[in-house]
Amino acid sequence: MIVPATARQRARVLHEELHEHNYRYYVLDDPVITDAEYDRLLRELQQLEATHPELVTPDSPTRRVGAAPLKAFGQVHHELRMLSLDNAFDDEELADFDRRVRERLGVETIEYAAEPKLDGVAVSLLYEDGVLVRGATRGDGETGEDITQNVRTIDGVPLRLTGDGIPRVLEVRGEVYIPHRGFEQLNRQAIAQEQKPFVNPRNAAAGSLRQLDPKITAARPLEMYCYGVGLVEGQLPERHSEILTRLGEWRLRVYPGIGRVQGLAGCIDYYQSLEQQRATLAFDIDGVVFKVDRLDQQQQLGFVSRAPRWAIARKFPAEEAQTRVAGIDVQVGRTGAITPVARLEPVFVGGVTVTNATLHNADEVHRKDVRKGDTVIVRRAGDVIPEVVRVIREKRKKGARRFKMPATCPECDSAVERVEGEAVARCTGGLFCPAQRREAIKHFASRRAMDIDGLGDKLVDQLVETGLIHDVSDLFQLDVEEFSGLERMAEKSAANLVNALDQSKETTLERFVYALGIREVGEATARILAQEFGDLEPLMQAQVDTLQEIHDIGPVVAQHIAGFFSESHNREVIRKLRTAGVHWKPVATTSVLSLKGKTFVLTGALSMPRNELKDRLQAAGARVTGSVSKKTDYVVVGDSPGSKADKARELGIKILDEAECLKNI
Ligand code: D41
């Protein structure tokens, strides 16, 4: 059948438009049409192609999905070997690398291209006359698997390059990965469908590319950044950094923050700045790659065995490490919650030595099946508490016993209870339990509660152990002499402590309510209670029904609050605290504040400590939450904001910078 010229022309226009919108959406992150409009154009092209199959080309925007499942992957021989990267684990090794390069080339300073080392899967894309004709995994560097139909489903991978000077043959190499947000969503789905969640984004990316059915790959949130070229027939610039710029111009995705730096010092600066940004990046990176920028110098250097002499990966300190579980203890928290903790053989992870890792609760221990003596992978990300990721089952010794939650509290022998439907087991000892008492006092003294300077955890342990204090009100009865009798407590620090205790007596109602440590009453709830009741007496009198009527306070929390104040022991402690001089100004409950009821999210690096801005916003009646949703009114964005800013834009939420925000307070 002959295709009418009008249909052919229309198909061409649709190709152009769809490629353009795809590029704007997935590469530039700056779409100019709605998803619905995009779908309309795509459907129109699909219909045209259905009527006139001759119009279907391999680079048609309709060809991303639709290929039939394969029986097996074909093999791809890499014309030019895909090399691997040498590693440098500290600045000294990096300096050695730089020195070797300088000596071989006989020059004083080297210009390096610097780029993040993505933690994904290395992939090769082959373009002929600008059209994507093949995608392959790295494999052993020599032979990989043909995953053409899978890479086609990755929206950020152009099916056709656009622009000037595109080589006739261009092999592009890069890293396919799954960003954090996509990973979390993927695992939520997996759990909802009762499938095993992925261990980490890299495994998820690798698994997604290895699907024989491209429809499965298409449903995975894969992305790609290009880091270099392989086989080329045609002209390219003389520098690595300029080649990457050209790739970007032809609409391939290239990381926007690639640097060109001078010498070792420049490399170290770049490394440090990326390490700082690491937590705010939308994807996992495990280091920085430095490459001699000039291609003539690269050529001169050549490679040894499988790695080029002109490139090195400066790795971040490992966030995961292997160690052994010396034992599993349980810790009793402030509210009696019993948390199993793995005691580890000390191991250096993510820049610190780790000796304990939380196991969260009994279900978690059993799910991961962690046992005493096991070899485990521990992980430490940023400031979070280290955790056991998984057990290496092959290394388990015979006779290793499953963990059992103790039936009685290890601290006070009271019964341990687990309420139906709750994950947490609790000691029923209440303030009879020394562990709960200790933790309650630590909480009371903490910075965001009563802020008693100099009353650290170790000191509280001593005070409770020696019987000097029994509850928080006893703190205010101690004098310099009594404090200086304690271990590692000089008279000077004892005097400072008495002074700090004295100063802490002047507080606010919300801090005081928070400091009491009522179950599930965090800072936000304490603030609401202070604003609603204005002073402590009406709050202490409030019945469960009254409390429940308050917006944001549910039946469980209401029960905890009323329960706390109904206990004579608690009322007595409060009375003693007030007698000792703890006081606050009543809160004006009727005053209407400018930001009352508005929800804020803070993201990126601000010029003031984040908690300070949070305090000021809350003082003005605003709520400050951690994640962006439709209910968010404003997102305050600092330097290097992360995915929260993207999400705000996506949802059309108003974005303020710090200065604009302060003006509103
Ligand atoms: O981001 C990466 N993971 C990355 C990997 C990168 N930015 N650059 C790389 N450069 C190379 C050379 C220098 C050998 C072309 C690489 C890799 N290789 C690589 N990825 C997996 C194996 C090797």
Side-chain angles (χ1 to χ4, degrees):
M1 191 167 77
I2 295 169
V3 181
T6 48
R8 194 175 292 281
Q9 236 163 29
R10 182 62 189 151
R12 215 172 2 240
V13 170
L14 287 168
H15 269 211
E16 292 300 324
E17 289 198 2
L18 286 161
H19 278 309
E20 177 70 21
H21 293 310
N22 212 57
Y23 170 66
R24 296 201 65 102
Y25 190 92
Y26 289 107
V27 182
L28 300 182
D29 195 12
D30 182 23
V32 289
I33 61 169
T34 62
D35 292 0
E37 270 173 283
Y38 182 89
D39 287 342
R40 195 184 56 70
L41 294 174
L42 188 66
R43 269 201 309 276
E44 188 186 342
L45 182 60
Q46 279 166 341
Q47 266 160 16
L48 262 180
E49 289 180 349
T51 328
H52 308 292
E54 297 91 328
L55 291 176
V56 178
T57 59
D59 67 338
S60 167
T62 62
R63 298 295 102 181
R64 287 208 180 266
V65 234
L70 296 172
K71 293 250 158 23
F73 293 114
Q75 286 203 337
V76 169
H77 177 73
H78 295 295
E79 213 61 43
L80 275 180
R81 237 197 119 83
M82 284 183 83
L83 298 170
S84 53
L85 274 171
D86 271 343
N87 292 319
F89 291 100
D90 55 35
D91 287 347
E92 206 175 312
E93 290 182 11
L94 187 63
D96 289 343
F97 163 78
D98 176 62
R99 188 176 32 72
R100 284 195 306 270
V101 169
R102 283 185 294 113
E103 281 173 6
R104 275 193 175 263
L105 294 174
V107 293
E108 295 258 312
T109 20
I110 305 288
E111 270 195 302
Y112 292 103
E115 51 199 79
K117 183 170 185 301
L118 271 98
D119 200 5
V121 183
V123 160
S124 146
L125 305 175
L126 188 64
Y127 288 90
E128 283 177 6
D129 299 315
V131 176
L132 177 66
V133 294
R134 193 197 71 192
T137 61
R138 176 171 177 276
D140 62 3
E142 206 127 14
T143 312
E145 283 176 326
D146 186 331
I147 52 162
T148 309
Q149 58 172 9
N150 287 348
V151 296
R152 299 177 73 91
T153 69
I154 305 174
D155 297 296
V157 170
L159 299 179
R160 189 175 70 192
L161 305 180
T162 307
D164 295 329
I166 298 165
R168 204 196 71 70
V169 175
L170 175 68
E171 185 198 347
V172 180
R173 292 173 177 179
E175 200 84 0
V176 170
Y177 64 94
I178 291 183
H180 296 140
R181 215 201 299 167
F183 177 71
E184 282 153 22
Q185 202 184 341
L186 195 60
N187 267 355
R188 271 200 299 276
Q189 261 168 26
I191 290 164
Q193 292 164 7
E194 298 195 359
Q195 287 161 350
K196 232 174 95 185
F198 291 100
V199 177
N200 58 42
R202 179 166 37 81
N203 286 8
S208 301
L209 282 180
R210 237 187 281 113
Q211 296 294 327
L212 289 166
D213 181 355
K215 289 208 177 54
I216 299 179
T217 310
R220 301 286 170 81
L222 295 166
E223 295 184 359
M224 178 172 181
Y225 272 131
C226 302
Y227 62 66
V229 295
L231 192 66
V232 179
E233 272 179 46
Q235 283 292 308
L236 281 181
E238 295 294 306
R239 282 177 176 272
H240 173 73
S241 57
E242 287 168 8
I243 292 176
L244 293 185
T245 307
R246 297 309 297 276
L247 297 184
E249 286 165 5
W250 297 329
R251 304 194 158 185
L252 286 152
R253 255 177 114 239
V254 175
Y255 178 70
I258 286 177
R260 203 200 273 179
V261 301
Q262 304 289 324
L264 178 66
C267 291
I268 292 176
D269 285 348
Y270 186 92
Y271 172 85
Q272 285 173 348
S273 103
L274 203 61
E275 193 177 35
Q276 290 205 333
Q277 286 171 48
R278 186 182 189 185
T280 64
L281 292 178
F283 42 82
D284 275 350
I285 62 175
D286 58 357
V288 180
V289 185
F290 298 109
K291 298 174 183 171
V292 172
D293 201 34
R294 277 171 49 180
L295 297 199
D296 60 327
Q297 292 182 331
Q298 285 189 3
Q299 207 130 48
Q300 229 177 310
L301 289 160
F303 53 90
V304 254
S305 70
R306 282 148 188 229
R309 284 206 190 89
W310 44 265
I312 195 141
R314 167 73 167 95
K315 300 289 278 280
F316 291 134
E319 294 206 315
E320 283 189 3
Q322 189 175 311
T323 187
R324 251 172 40 96
V325 177
I328 300 177
D329 289 348
V330 295
Q331 249 170 21
V332 186
R334 168 168 64 84
T335 58
I338 297 197
T339 312
V341 178
R343 304 282 172 221
L344 304 171
E345 287 178 2
V347 62
F348 195 69
V349 202
V352 300
T353 300
V354 167
T355 53
N356 299 311
T358 178
L359 292 165
H360 301 289
N361 55 54
D363 289 347
E364 187 80 355
V365 184
H366 292 135
R367 196 172 65 75
K368 291 181 176 159
D369 192 17
V370 184
R371 306 184 188 189
K372 181 176 171 179
D374 274 352
T375 301
V376 292
I377 302 290
V378 289
R379 180 180 173 81
R380 184 186 162 272
D383 309 331
V384 305
I385 305 167
E387 59 171 4
V388 171
V389 181
R390 66 195 156 85
V391 173
I392 301 177
R393 292 294 287 269
E394 295 72 32
K395 298 202 174 179
R396 174 169 290 165
K397 295 258 167 35
K398 265 218 190 83
R401 302 268 284 274
R402 276 175 77 88
F403 169 78
K404 238 183 106 219
M405 205 59 157
T408 58
C409 174
E411 300 255 3
C412 72
D413 256 354
S414 305
V416 167
E417 254 181 17
R418 184 168 163 186
V419 178
E420 269 293 307
E422 267 192 40
V424 183
R426 283 175 204 281
C427 158
T428 52
L431 290 178
F432 168 72
C433 175
Q436 292 190 46
R437 272 207 317 269
R438 273 194 321 258
E439 297 309 311
I441 295 166
K442 289 174 194 172
H443 170 78
F444 183 82
S446 66
R447 214 170 49 75
R448 298 187 67 83
M450 296 297 281
D451 192 18
I452 305 171
D453 218 22
L455 189 61
D457 290 359
K458 291 253 159 61
L459 191 55
V460 173
D461 290 346
Q462 261 194 82
L463 288 167
V464 175
E465 230 159 86
T466 53
L468 268 177
I469 62 173
H470 205 73
D471 62 50
V472 292
S473 69
D474 298 335
L475 282 169
F476 296 96
Q477 310 303 326
L478 297 176
D479 55 26
V480 176
E481 203 179 320
E482 281 162 303
F483 278 126
S484 14
L486 294 165
E487 259 171 62
R488 270 177 293 164
M489 194 57 153
E491 194 158 320
K492 182 89 200 310
S493 2
N496 287 345
L497 184 55
V498 171
N499 199 13
L501 276 160
D502 219 38
Q503 281 185 7
S504 75
K505 289 178 189 169
E506 183 175 334
T507 187
T508 61
L509 178 59
E510 62 178 77
R511 271 179 180 270
F512 184 76
V513 171
Y514 172 62
L516 291 174
I518 304 164
R519 248 178 86 185
E520 291 187 44
V521 176
E523 287 177 273
T525 308
R527 183 167 323 103
I528 292 167
L529 292 173
Q531 278 170 1
E532 287 294 330
F533 291 96
D535 210 340
L536 193 64
E537 280 66 34
L539 171 60
M540 289 177 72
Q541 313 287 335
Q543 307 290 309
V544 176
D545 327 350
T546 321
L547 288 161
Q548 237 177 280
E549 274 168 33
I550 301 169
H551 185 66
D552 276 340
I553 292 185
V556 177
V557 183
Q559 197 72 57
H560 288 323
I561 297 167
F564 181 91
F565 289 118
S566 72
E567 259 188 58
S568 60
H569 168 82
N570 292 333
R571 301 178 81 95
E572 178 61 12
V573 171
I574 290 170
R575 192 192 60 75
K576 287 201 281 189
L577 284 169
R578 302 194 83 166
T579 314
V582 175
H583 66 284
W584 53 83
K585 283 201 191 70
V587 179
T589 51
T590 48
S591 76
V592 183
L593 294 154
S594 61
L595 300 178
K596 193 161 172 131
K598 295 279 184 243
T599 302
F600 281 70
V601 172
L602 313 181
T603 181
L606 303 165
S607 70
M608 67 172 76
R610 188 174 290 206
N611 274 338
E612 189 179 326
L613 184 58
K614 186 173 167 185
D615 281 344
R616 289 170 69 166
L617 282 166
Q618 286 171 341
R623 273 163 44 96
V624 181
T625 63
S627 59
V628 179
S629 73
K630 274 186 259 166
K631 293 189 187 143
T632 311
D633 294 296
Y634 298 99
V635 174
V636 182
V637 171
D639 282 345
S640 352
S643 58
K644 289 178 191 170
D646 298 340
K647 177 119 188 245
R649 257 174 244 123
E650 221 168 84
L651 295 175
I653 290 163
K654 188 145 175 53
I655 294 181
L656 303 174
D657 63 26
E658 194 176 336
E660 287 173 301
C661 172
L662 289 172
K663 255 189 279 164
N664 279 299
I665 299 181

